[in-house]
């Protein structure tokens, strides 16, 4: 399973993923199944790398396109998962 597939699954479930240093945070926790939690743990390093690239892309979109931070993050997330 690829990181993009995991992130697409999170998006479909309405789970928001954030990186805090070397930790992954997700909300709402109640939506995360044991199977999904296992996938998150197995792919943690790749997910952290992806989150860093998404954050960089969001910053560019926010600055260059004049988007709000939320919109920039949404577009960057969608672009990554496409």
């Amino acid at each position: 399973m690829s990181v993009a597939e995991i992130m697409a699954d999170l998006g479909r479930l309405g789970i928001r993923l954030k990186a805090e240093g070397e930790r992954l945070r997700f909300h709402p926790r109640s939506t995360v199944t044991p199977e999904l939690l296992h996938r998150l743990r197995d792919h943690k390093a790749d997910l952290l790398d992806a989150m860093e690239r998404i954050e960089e892309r969001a910053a560019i979109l926010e600055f260059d396109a004049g988007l709000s931070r939320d919109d920039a993050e949404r577009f960057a997330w969608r672009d990554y998962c496409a």
Side-chain angles (χ1 to χ4, degrees), residues 34-80:
E35 188 270 333
L36 182 54
L37 184 59
H38 182 72
R39 288 171 39 205
L40 291 170
R41 287 181 178 146
D42 284 350
H43 297 282
K44 180 182 174 182
D46 293 329
L47 285 163
L48 287 169
D49 181 56
M51 295 304 299
E52 182 177 331
R53 285 185 271 139
I54 288 170
E55 285 295 320
E56 290 169 357
R57 178 70 177 139
I60 291 168
L61 287 170
E62 184 179 18
F63 181 78
D64 288 349
L67 297 173
S68 70
R69 186 62 183 183
D70 285 342
D71 287 342
E73 286 179 359
R74 201 169 319 124
F75 280 115
W77 181 277
R78 187 196 67 201
D79 290 346
Y80 186 85

